[in-house]
Amino acid sequence: MKHHDKQTTGRLANRESLIIAILMTAAGVFATAQPAAAETMPKCSDHTLNVTLAPGETETLQLAGTLCSQGLAAGKTVQILLHGSTYARYYWDFPYQTEHYSYVRAATKRGYATFNLDRIGYGASDHPDGNRVDIDANAFVVHQVVEALCAGEVASQRFEKVIVVGHSMGSFTAVNYAGSFPGEADGIILTGFLHDLSDSFINSTFAPAVYPATLDEKFAGQFPSSDYLTTMPDTRGDLFYYLPNANPEVLALDEALKQTVTVGELGTGLAMVSDPISFQIKGPVQVVIGEFDYVFCGNLVNCSNKAAVQNYEKAFYSAEACVDTAVISDSGHDLNLHTNANAAYSQMLSWANRTVGSTAGAAPQPCGTP
């Protein structure tokens, strides 16, 4: 056991040195290019909302999020960003080469506002009993966020149009939300998600890599019970990446920033792949998957075949959802953290422009248009 601890300590020390070097390099680049960067950096502000986990509950929890926009947010469509399990809002605004790895920056450059959340149980948001934070609770929280944005309760700005954007467990949440409150959002984008799971990958790779956060040095003393889980050290590359197209520095920073997931989410979220609630969704839906997303691809769907992905996914929605799919070549599960992240951003934002629009008013090709 002592030998293992020394190995872990040495590994963490090496990783910390690498992280420091990455951040120092990024700071140096910013210092030499500050005037140009300032022109495209969005203006952001942090906000908290009081939410409950279910209708009729009286206990309120604090939900943290960051609102960003280039220029005034007035009149813009807002995108609510929902990260996946063991991440937090940094997934959408990764703190490394942000011109490349930040979806927030890409979306705000295209004229959108973004409200980037730490979902309940993550980051700066409250961490209640992990058994209570399940997929239904997550969906109900999103409903409250949409209501708050439309009512002007965030930055005193009323938003007329809302797109809910999910990744992985955030996409499970988006499906549950959109099916539970059909037509409330103007569109949903589901990344790192299909209505299928690779059982072999879940059993052979994912399950052995997840353990109670209380056993992880990073979270020592934070989670006394086993209702919060995390990934074992140095497993995230195999879990979430197509390694031939991943930057080792991104992998190292991902490992250093990793978060947790509740047992409630894992126990209920994965079931969304077979839940008929998606048939209740109304309005435009985009599904974006990496060609080498081992979590979903290779079981019933060949993700190298875009037509096959499109035909497969359409079968899980009504015609009112007008589903569109995009396959990102040479990418794995974490689309935002691969070297071709901008290929995913381009697909997502082009689709959003066509079907919803970045500003108030009619979109060029709303759902139902031939």
Side-chain angles (χ1 to χ4, degrees), residues 288-304:
V288 186
I289 193 78
E291 179 185 6
F292 298 103
D293 188 331
Y294 302 123
V295 182
F296 295 96
C297 301
N299 188 24
L300 297 176
V301 186
N302 176 8
C303 290
S304 298

Side-chain angles (χ1 to χ4, degrees), residues 55 64 96 110 167 203 222 351:
Y96 176 74
R110 294 286 288 268
H167 171 68
N203 294 328
Q222 295 184 39
W351 176 88

Side-chain angles (χ1 to χ4, degrees), residues 252-322:
L253 189 52
D254 183 357
E255 180 69 32
L257 294 173
K258 74 175 183 180
Q259 296 292 302
T260 57
V261 58
T262 69
V263 296
E265 278 193 342
L266 285 184
T268 60
L270 299 182
M272 292 306 300
V273 299
S274 57
D275 195 309
I277 196 170
S278 57
F279 286 101
Q280 305 303 316
I281 295 174
K282 297 180 179 179
V285 175
Q286 186 190 39
V287 179
V288 186
I289 193 78
E291 179 185 6
F292 298 103
D293 188 331
Y294 302 123
V295 182
F296 295 96
C297 301
N299 188 24
L300 297 176
V301 186
N302 176 8
C303 290
S304 298
N305 187 332
K306 182 184 183 300
V309 175
Q310 172 77 14
N311 291 334
Y312 180 82
E313 275 299 298
K314 282 180 65 176
F316 293 92
Y317 301 85
S318 71
E320 295 176 280
C322 51

Side-chain angles (χ1 to χ4, degrees), residues 97-129:
Q97 296 184 359
T98 53
E99 74 284 355
H100 185 85
Y101 291 102
S102 172
Y103 179 78
V104 167
R105 189 162 174 175
T108 54
K109 283 179 68 174
R110 294 286 288 268
Y112 292 90
T114 60
F115 193 40
N116 190 11
L117 302 181
D118 279 342
R119 296 192 291 108
I120 291 294
Y122 295 87
S125 294
D126 282 344
H127 291 64
D129 185 316

Side-chain angles (χ1 to χ4, degrees), residues 306-367:
K306 182 184 183 300
V309 175
Q310 172 77 14
N311 291 334
Y312 180 82
E313 275 299 298
K314 282 180 65 176
F316 293 92
Y317 301 85
S318 71
E320 295 176 280
C322 51
V323 178
D324 181 77
T325 61
V327 174
I328 308 303
S329 300
D330 298 322
S331 187
H333 185 63
D334 280 358
L335 294 163
N336 289 21
L337 303 184
H338 284 73
T339 59
N340 60 341
N342 282 303
Y345 302 162
S346 178
Q347 290 284 345
M348 296 161 67
L349 294 169
S350 296
W351 176 88
N353 287 346
R354 293 193 310 271
T355 59
V356 179
S358 61
T359 60
Q365 296 177 338
C367 197

Side-chain angles (χ1 to χ4, degrees), residues 72-143:
L72 296 176
K76 293 182 177 180
T77 300
V78 62
Q79 297 193 15
I80 299 174
L81 307 181
L82 308 175
H83 60 80
S85 61
T86 76
Y87 284 91
R89 64 184 128 169
Y90 64 81
Y91 173 79
W92 296 104
D93 195 16
F94 201 68
Y96 176 74
Q97 296 184 359
T98 53
E99 74 284 355
H100 185 85
Y101 291 102
S102 172
Y103 179 78
V104 167
R105 189 162 174 175
T108 54
K109 283 179 68 174
R110 294 286 288 268
Y112 292 90
T114 60
F115 193 40
N116 190 11
L117 302 181
D118 279 342
R119 296 192 291 108
I120 291 294
Y122 295 87
S125 294
D126 282 344
H127 291 64
D129 185 316
N131 294 286
R132 299 175 56 212
V133 185
D134 60 16
I135 200 68
D136 290 332
N138 272 281
F140 185 63
V141 168
V142 174
H143 165 64

Side-chain angles (χ1 to χ4, degrees), residues 44-48 65-67 89 115:
C44 301
S45 56
D46 292 333
H47 302 271
T48 58
T66 302
L67 181 70
R89 64 184 128 169
F115 193 40

